[in-house]
Amino acid sequence: MNCLECNAPMNQHTGEVPYHALPGTLLRGVTHRTCPSCGASEVDIPRIAELNRTIARALICQRARLSGPQVRFLRKHLGLSGTDVAARMGVSKATVSRWESNKQHISPGHDRLLRLMVAYEEPIENYAEHLASVAQEDAGATDLTINLWESDQRWHRSEPVRG
């Protein structure tokens, strides 16, 4: 394969390369190419969506509190902006920015909430709008009936009915 910068033939290697989406992460056994003429490099990352899911699962299972780069990775993995995450978690966009830049540690409660957001793989459409409207009424202000049933070794639910 030729270099996209100078069109010279590139040298191909298999080995370790840093994964820039999450600092401190090394990918092993991946193909990367370097150009001996201009120094350009490129990496082949197969099944990148699966790789990111695997990293996200590892992060939400770790015992230590999430670091700033890990918060940023999980936010991007979810496909959310800082504003979206702030709205969902009930904090300011500036707070999310401070978490991601390691200027402020994420609180244990917000850490858990972010992990749950990543673990929950069925996001609600317009979730930010949904969360803005929840928890605005006193507990028990209205009754809620949720119909659940089990079939095919899975639980199913109908839309909630307000009483």
Side-chain angles (χ1 to χ4, degrees):
M1 174 169 224
N2 289 344
C3 177
L4 296 175
E5 300 292 323
C6 69
N7 204 32
M10 296 185 87
N11 297 329
Q12 184 169 308
H13 314 276
T14 300
E16 285 186 359
V17 294
Y19 188 46
H20 297 290
L22 183 60
T25 304
L26 284 176
L27 302 178
R28 292 191 174 118
V30 295
T31 301
H32 56 100
R33 288 178 282 286
T34 56
C35 178
S37 297
C38 71
S41 64
E42 56 185 55
V43 179
D44 289 335
I45 303 176
R47 300 177 312 283
I48 196 160
E50 181 183 340
L51 169 65
N52 288 335
R53 275 191 305 277
T54 302
I55 293 170
R57 302 298 284 176
L59 291 176
I60 67 172
C61 290
Q62 75 179 1
R63 292 181 53 94
R65 194 177 310 173
L66 296 169
S67 69
Q70 292 169 343
V71 170
R72 178 179 292 115
F73 177 86
L74 292 175
R75 175 184 59 79
K76 289 182 176 184
H77 172 70
L78 290 169
L80 300 173
S81 68
T83 302
D84 294 334
V85 169
R88 289 183 183 193
M89 297 180 80
V91 298
S92 70
K93 180 182 173 188
T95 297
V96 174
S97 177
R98 287 191 298 271
W99 291 341
E100 292 184 358
S101 63
N102 274 333
K103 291 181 180 170
Q104 176 183 340
H105 293 294
I106 189 170
S107 72
H110 287 110
D111 181 294
R112 289 183 192 111
L113 180 55
L114 180 57
R115 290 172 196 240
L116 285 170
M117 289 168 58
V118 172
Y120 184 65
E121 295 186 31
E122 265 185 293
I124 297 171
E125 289 186 31
N126 299 319
Y127 200 66
E129 291 175 24
H130 171 74
L131 275 183
S133 67
V134 300
Q136 299 302 314
E137 299 175 9
D138 290 335
T142 56
D143 293 330
L144 179 66
T145 302
I146 302 173
N147 296 311
L148 300 164
W149 70 94
E150 191 270 337
S151 68
D152 304 320
Q153 297 181 345
R154 291 188 58 197
W155 281 99
H156 305 274
R157 72 175 173 90
S158 63
E159 289 301 312
V161 178
R162 294 211 176 266

